[in-house]
Amino acid sequence: AQPPVPAAFTNVAQSPGASVAGASAVQTGALAAAAVNTTVAARTMTMSSEFVKGKAHELFQSLEFFEGEVKKAREEAAALRAKAKAELKQAEELSAIADSALLRAADPSSSTASGVLAAA
C-alpha cells in the first residue's frame, strides 16, 4: 500500500511488481540524494564556521597590534610633552635672565651699566 508514484519515475515495465520496484528505487535514490545534500550542507556550515573563526582571530590579532601601537604612540606623546614642558621652562628662565640683564644695562645706576660705559 505505497502511495502512487508519478509515471515519470516508474519503470517502463508494465507489470505491477516492476512499478513498485521502480518506485522503491526512486525513493532510495531520493533518500541518497537527500543524505548527500545534508552532508554537503554540514560540510559547508563547518567550512563557513571555520572561515568565520579564522577571520575573527585575524581581526582580534589586528586589534591587539593596533592597541599596542596606540599605547606606544601615547607613551611617545607623553615623553614629548614632558620634554617640551622642560624646554619651555628652560626658555622662560633664560628669557628672565636676559630681561634682567637688559634692565640692568638700561639702568644708569647699575654698576654693571657704568662699567660697560666706562669700558667703551
Side-chain angles (χ1 to χ4, degrees), residues 56-105:
H57 182 71
E58 287 178 24
L59 288 172
F60 281 120
Q61 284 182 330
S62 295
L63 180 62
E64 288 175 358
F65 172 78
F66 289 128
E67 285 176 344
E69 291 295 310
V70 167
K71 184 178 178 182
K72 286 179 192 176
R74 286 182 179 165
E75 290 171 353
E76 289 176 15
L80 289 172
R81 279 192 299 274
K83 182 179 176 183
K85 186 175 180 179
E87 289 176 350
L88 178 62
K89 183 178 178 183
Q90 183 181 18
E92 288 172 345
E93 291 171 354
L94 292 173
S95 179
I97 292 170
D99 285 345
S100 175
L102 288 172
L103 288 174
R104 278 189 295 198

Side-chain angles (χ1 to χ4, degrees), residues 38-52:
T38 302
T39 303
V40 169
R43 285 184 188 164
T44 302
M45 290 297 291
T46 301
M47 290 171 53
S48 295
S49 177
E50 290 173 4
F51 176 78
V52 169

